Each structure stands twice: as C-alpha cells, then as structure tokens.
Amino acid sequence: MLRQVEEIAQREQATSVERIVIQIGPLSGVVPELLQQAFTIARCGTRAEAAELVTQTQPVRVHCLQCGYDSDAQANRLLCAKCGDYRTRLISGDELLLASVELTKN
Amino acid sequence: MCDTCGCNVTHGNRHLIEEGGKHAHTSDDHVAIEVLENLLSENDHQAAHNREHFERHGVLAINLMSSPGSGKTRLLERTIDHLKERYKIGVIEGDLETENDAQRIRDKGVPAVQITTGTACHLDAHMIHQALHQTPLDELDLLFIENVGNLVCPASFDLGQHLNVTLLSVTEGDDKPAKYPVIFRAADHVLITKSDLLPLLDDFDPDNAGQALQQLAYKNPITLVSAKSDQGMDEWLNWLEAQLSQATATEPATV
C-alpha cells in the first residue's frame, strides 16, 4: 500500500502525505486494527511518515439470484434477507481498496 | 470487486467517483486524490502473469488450502497414485520451514518444488513465479499448489491458479466455514477429509458443515473423502478429470 502511495506522491510532486483512506470489506480477509498497527511501523522513512490512515469498513451486501432483492448480510451469513435463499451474489463487502490520498505540495 | 478489468468500482464506492472531481482541494490547501486502486494490485498483476504462463503451457493449476494437518499432502499422494499413469502432475509445496512434504511427493515419482516461506504464513503470486523457474511446465498437465496450512491469509492472495480447493478435516469443527468465511467462500470444491474417522467422532456432522457452507452462498461441490480408505476419491478424481478436460477444451492455441 505504501509503495502505491509513494508512487502517487512522487507523480504529484508532493512533499508529504497527510491522509490515506482505504476501504476494507469484512470479506477481504484484512483486519483494519492489525493494518493500523502495521502501518505505524511501515510508514517510517516514507513520505507518509506522519500520515493518518483512515479505514472505512464497507457493508456486506448481497443480490439474490432468485428474487432479485438486494440486502445487507453478515460475513458468514450471505443469505437473501427477503426470501432466505442461499443463491446470492456478493455486491459489496470484499473490497480492499486504496480510496484516496491527501497530499501536501510544499 | 471487479478483478477482471481492474476498474474496482462497486456499489459501495461508486459515490466516490460520482461526487466531485478526481482532484479536490481541501480547506488547508492539501490536495486530495481519488485512487480506488486495489491494494493487492501488484500481487494480482503477477498472478495474471502466472496464469497466462500456465495457459500457454496447457497446465491446469489448482491451489489447495486448509488448516495445518488437515491432510493436503496425504490427499495429493493418493491423488497422484490414482492419476499419474494418465496425467503428468507437478506440485509446488509451500511450507514455513521443512522440505518434508516435497520429499513425500517426490517419493511418488512426481516433480515437486519447495517454497520455504520462513515466517510468511501464505504463498503469494511472486513466490509462485519464482518457483515456476524450477517447474517443468512443458511436461505437465496438472499442477497442484499446496498452500501453507492456514485458514486466513492464503485466501487473500491470487496465485494465478485456475481453481481453489479448500479442505476441512473431520477432526476440526464443523462450524469452520462460519468462522473462516473468506477461504471457504473462495473454494471451487470443498473436501471434507479424513472421513474414515467419522465413526469415532460424535461432534463433527458433515450436514452442519454443509449448512455452514450454504450460508456463505457456497454453490460448488462438497465431497467427503478419505485418502486412507479411498472413500469419496472417485468423486474427487472425476471432478478433477472433468476440470482437466474442460480446461483442454477452452485452452488457447499453444504459442
């Protein structure tokens, strides 16, 4: 992640990175708290040394392939909230995205 | 998330690109830049490269994942016994420390490349790429990648495989799919292994495991197998052969 941020900072000719926003879905397999801890060590010596890491947890949502209804779900219960069918497709909840970075130029 | 075209725009994040421009200035004159880039993009790029490499050589690659001790190597040994006369099989072994599992596979007369990960608890696409330099892909039909025994991290890294197989042994809890939804949701086939032990265990019910999988919207096969008694092996081998013939049918012309 920091490599991607560094590339953007370099491309934009920024002196430092103030804020990094990432989106994490519960089904991405990444634990936001652990990422925060790792980040405090990994950012040392980069342009993001003083950056704040903001993690936005995305909701788990499914689309029912039977009745067509979209509903919220839990990570280990991806059933349709309307008809209860298990034949659903995940529409959100497995993201692991670098959403935005906030930079300072001089 | 869209991994195919790399757009990564989902219902959850679409509003970010619709509201405001790509570059927005904040009040204290910082520059905010929308990125929406997959954080595993480097791995996924290498994985796509690995997959192309497999396809160019006409190799079907299967990633085996499970907790430690659920019988991945034993299943591979038995699978090799049954299939090695008909298909050319190779194995990439991921392990934290030892070369023991690779040696067990080589004893079956099949090439095996060991990746010793040290402290890393999963394989990634770059490690597989390194191992491919020592893998005789030209001579193979089927390549198994035995991932590091772990039900968490391996699920997050695409290796370039075509199919994922997740093992759940009957000596574990039948609620494992509910506890580790990411890895079980990724499976193209779930094997409930060590089924010969079921009569001795009154706390593992395959139906409960099946229900926990169904709650993950899992729609693929679930097979009870024992590499010891051969129970369910036919079903597993038939599935493998069906995947192989399907892959051969859709394979691009060899360059």
Side-chain angles (χ1 to χ4, degrees):
Chain A
M1 172 182 86
L2 280 161
R3 200 173 308 151
Q4 284 165 260
V5 170
E6 278 279 294
E7 278 171 21
I8 294 162
Q10 201 172 349
R11 192 180 67 214
E12 299 289 328
Q13 298 174 324
T15 47
S16 65
V17 179
E18 304 300 320
R19 222 162 105 95
I20 301 169
V21 181
I22 59 174
Q23 296 179 348
I24 300 180
L27 284 164
S28 69
V30 170
V31 183
E33 291 79 8
L34 297 180
L35 193 70
Q36 284 283 4
Q37 282 178 24
F39 177 69
T40 57
I41 300 166
R43 67 184 174 181
C44 296
T46 70
R47 264 182 265 216
E49 200 154 31
E52 175 196 10
L53 178 67
V54 178
T55 54
Q56 299 175 336
T57 303
Q58 299 298 296
V60 178
R61 286 184 63 78
V62 293
H63 171 76
C64 181
L65 299 173
Q66 297 309 299
C67 75
Y69 189 72
D70 291 352
S71 54
D72 286 336
Q74 291 169 345
N76 59 4
R77 199 177 155 81
L78 303 174
L79 308 179
C80 173
K82 193 175 179 187
C83 73
D85 203 281
Y86 75 99
R87 282 160 291 188
T88 62
R89 181 172 53 79
L90 195 73
I91 48 179
S92 139
D94 65 349
E95 302 85 353
L96 183 56
L97 291 180
L98 176 58
S100 68
V101 291
E102 203 176 301
L103 306 167
T104 300
K105 297 184 176 183
N106 301 316
Chain B
M1 164 160 37
C2 172
D3 283 325
T4 316
C5 69
C7 69
N8 288 322
V9 178
T10 67
H11 289 273
N13 66 34
R14 187 175 297 278
H15 65 282
L16 283 172
I17 46 171
E18 283 172 352
E19 287 169 18
K22 192 173 157 64
H23 295 234
H25 284 269
T26 60
S27 55
D28 45 2
D29 211 30
H30 293 164
V31 182
I33 295 174
E34 297 293 359
V35 186
L36 291 181
E37 194 173 79
N38 189 343
L39 286 172
L40 289 172
S41 60
E42 282 191 33
N43 180 78
D44 292 351
H45 180 77
Q46 178 65 63
H49 180 70
N50 292 350
R51 195 171 286 117
E52 273 171 31
H53 207 54
F54 293 136
E55 281 162 13
R56 213 167 40 237
H57 289 84
V59 174
L60 181 73
I62 298 184
N63 178 29
L64 292 183
M65 300 183 286
S66 77
S67 33
S70 60
K72 291 185 293 298
T73 314
R74 185 69 193 264
L75 176 84
L76 279 180
E77 287 175 311
R78 205 67 196 122
T79 302
I80 291 165
D81 286 341
H82 283 283
L83 292 183
K84 74 174 178 188
E85 299 303 324
R86 273 175 293 156
Y87 302 100
K88 289 162 285 175
I89 303 172
V91 178
I92 292 176
E93 283 283 347
D95 212 339
L96 293 178
E97 292 295 346
T98 72
E99 181 127 349
N100 297 353
D101 290 351
Q103 195 50 51
R104 281 171 60 183
I105 298 298
R106 287 183 202 125
D107 290 346
K108 293 284 175 188
V110 158
V113 177
Q114 178 75 50
I115 302 175
T116 309
T117 59
T119 53
C121 50
H122 59 269
L123 295 174
D124 67 23
H126 295 94
M127 295 183 203
I128 295 299
H129 176 74
Q130 290 294 320
L132 289 184
H133 290 305
Q134 304 155 55
T135 309
L137 282 185
D138 273 336
E139 298 160 23
L140 299 182
D141 302 312
L142 182 57
L143 177 74
F144 287 106
I145 301 168
E146 185 180 333
N147 218 310
V148 178
N150 176 357
L151 282 178
V152 185
C153 318
S156 300
F157 293 88
D158 184 5
L159 307 177
Q161 76 277 7
H162 298 101
L163 296 160
N164 284 319
V165 174
T166 305
L167 279 64
L168 168 62
S169 65
V170 300
T171 53
E172 304 171 63
D174 51 24
D175 59 350
K176 275 275 168 79
K179 289 182 175 175
Y180 301 90
V182 182
I183 206 159
F184 283 98
R185 216 177 68 80
D188 295 292
H189 197 149
V190 169
L191 297 176
I192 299 181
T193 57
K194 304 188 183 183
S195 66
D196 56 291
L197 295 176
L198 265 180
L200 306 172
L201 300 164
D202 54 10
D203 50 359
F204 187 101
D205 183 346
D207 289 341
N208 289 348
Q211 262 171 27
L213 282 165
Q214 199 176 77
Q215 298 213 336
L216 302 180
Y218 178 79
K219 306 167 192 81
N220 297 321
I222 303 167
T223 307
L224 265 175
V225 294
S226 165
K228 196 172 181 183
S229 72
D230 262 2
Q231 183 198 354
M233 280 301 281
D234 279 347
E235 217 175 314
W236 156 240
L237 297 170
N238 289 341
W239 180 83
L240 269 179
E241 292 200 72
Q243 302 302 321
L244 271 162
S245 54
Q246 206 177 319
T248 320
T250 56
E251 210 171 90
T254 311
V255 180

